[in-house]
Amino acid sequence: MEDGKVLSAEQIAGYWEDGYIVIPGVLSADEIETYKARARAVAHGEYPPEAKSRIMRDVRIAKGVVPAPEDPEDGLWKLMNPDRFDQTFRDFTYTPKLLDPVEDLLGPDLIAFLMMMIYKPPKVADAVHPFHQDAFYFPFGPHEKVLGCWIPLDDADESNGTLVVVPGSHKNGVAAHEYPDGLVNMGSFHIPGADEAEGAKVLEVKAGDAVLFNSRTWHKSLGNRSERRRRVITMHAASAECAPTRDADIGEFGMRLVRGELHEGGIQPPAEASLAFRTHSASSFENDVSLPQR
C-alpha cells in the first residue's frame, strides 16, 4: 500500500476498472448491533413527530397488496436521511473505517449525503429495484468524484435481496432512464433493457462489509424470497470539489462535510443547525427524481 492509504494500488485500480469494490469489515459486530437496535427503535415509533414522513413503508404493504406484518420493522421500505433526526445515525456518517477508503478514491475533502436505512421485507420476492445509475439523480459532479456506500447489517445474498452490479458500466456515461410500469416504490427509475446486460454480477456480502461503487455504475437490488431480513445502511459521498451541474434544490440530500474542507465554487452544505429538519410529504418524495433507492 502507498503511504497514508488503506486501499492497495490493486484495489484502487480495480475500483476504477470495474466501477465498484468490496471492503470487508468496515463495521464491527458491536456497530452492526447498534444500528440494528436504533433502526428497530425508530421502526417502533421512537422518533420525533417531524420525522414521520421519513419512516416509509414498502409500497406493496402500504397499498395492501401484501398483508401487513406483525412486526412494523418488516413492513418498512426505508428510513430516509435518519442522520437528520437521530444522533446515532449522524455518527455513522463519520465512521473512520468507511471514510478512509472513500478518501483513497475521492480525495481528502469529503461530503456525506443521502444516508438511508433500506429494507427488503421478508417474503416479498417482487420488491426488486431495477438497474439504474445514481448519477442520473444527482445535480452535481463530476460523476467520478461521487460514490455510493452500501453496507448490509445482515448477510446479503441472492435469496434475500442483495446488490447486483454490471462491472465496467461506469465507463459509458449516464444512460437514459424511464419510470417502469407496475407497482414500484417511489423514485424507482430504471435503464430500459439493462437486464440483458452481459456480465452482471450478483454480490454476496457479509454483514459489516462495504460495497463502494461509482455513481455511474449500473446496479440493482433483488427481491427478498427468504424469511430473513435484509437491512442495509447506505450513504453517498462526494468530493468537496464537486459543483452543481444544473439548477436544483439539493437541500433534501442532507449534505454534511465529514472530512477535510470545503472548496470555493464547490458544493456548500447548509449549516448543521439548518440541516436538522426539512419535512416532506409523501407526494413531494414521489415528485423528486433526486432520491435513488436500493
Side-chain angles (χ1 to χ4, degrees), residues 269-289:
E272 192 71 16
S274 65
L275 188 65
F277 255 111
R278 287 181 61 186
T279 56
H280 276 61
S281 66
S283 62
S284 68
F285 281 109
E286 189 170 11
N287 294 329
D288 189 342
V289 300

Side-chain angles (χ1 to χ4, degrees), residues 20 22 150 152 154-160 162-164 201-207 209 211 228:
Y20 78 98
V22 181
W150 192 91
D154 308 286
D155 291 349
D157 54 41
E158 188 170 6
S159 68
N160 75 333
T162 194
L163 202 63
V164 182
K201 187 171 182 178
V202 178
L203 302 182
E204 291 195 4
V205 189
K206 294 294 185 181
D209 294 353
V211 184
R228 296 177 290 135

Side-chain angles (χ1 to χ4, degrees), residues 102-243:
V102 172
E103 178 176 340
D104 286 352
L105 298 172
L106 300 184
D109 303 321
L110 299 175
I111 291 172
F113 67 99
L114 201 57
M115 188 255 160
M116 295 180 281
M117 274 285 303
I118 305 180
Y119 291 79
K120 291 286 184 176
K123 297 184 288 186
V124 185
D126 61 343
V128 174
H129 187 83
F131 275 118
H132 63 284
Q133 295 166 291
D134 291 345
F136 167 76
Y137 298 87
F138 299 155
F140 46 86
H143 297 147
E144 62 268 20
K145 287 286 190 177
V146 185
L147 58 74
C149 311
W150 192 91
I151 307 176
L153 302 182
D154 308 286
D155 291 349
D157 54 41
E158 188 170 6
S159 68
N160 75 333
T162 194
L163 202 63
V164 182
V165 297
V166 179
S169 54
H170 64 299
K171 299 176 182 179
N172 300 320
V174 179
H177 287 59
E178 296 179 359
Y179 210 75
D181 296 328
L183 193 64
V184 294
N185 284 311
M186 293 179 291
S188 299
F189 287 84
H190 75 129
I191 303 170
D195 281 327
E196 283 70 54
E198 295 183 1
K201 187 171 182 178
V202 178
L203 302 182
E204 291 195 4
V205 189
K206 294 294 185 181
D209 294 353
V211 184
L212 306 185
F213 55 92
N214 186 282
S215 69
R216 290 195 302 254
T217 299
W218 293 19
H219 60 284
K220 73 174 183 178
S221 61
L222 302 172
N224 187 352
R225 307 191 310 270
S226 78
E227 296 185 358
R228 296 177 290 135
R229 289 184 167 129
R230 196 230 67 176
R231 293 162 287 190
V232 171
I233 192 167
T234 72
M235 183 185 80
H236 293 267
S239 166
E241 297 175 356
C242 289

Side-chain angles (χ1 to χ4, degrees), residues 33-98:
E33 291 308 313
T34 292
Y35 297 125
K36 281 183 177 180
R38 188 65 199 120
R40 182 164 180 79
V42 171
H44 283 258
E46 291 187 19
Y47 56 83
E50 299 85 6
K52 183 177 181 180
S53 66
R54 298 178 183 276
I55 318 302
M56 307 176 77
R57 291 191 299 166
D58 185 88
V59 65
R60 295 155 189 82
I61 293 169
K63 290 185 175 293
V65 176
V66 176
E70 292 184 8
D71 188 330
E73 189 176 19
D74 290 335
L76 288 183
W77 166 35
K78 66 178 179 179
L79 309 181
M80 180 69 185
N81 277 334
D83 56 311
R84 296 176 72 169
F85 63 82
D86 185 88
Q87 185 64 50
T88 297
F89 289 117
R90 188 174 300 125
D91 291 344
F92 167 80
T93 66
Y94 294 95
T95 302
K97 288 190 72 173
L98 177 59

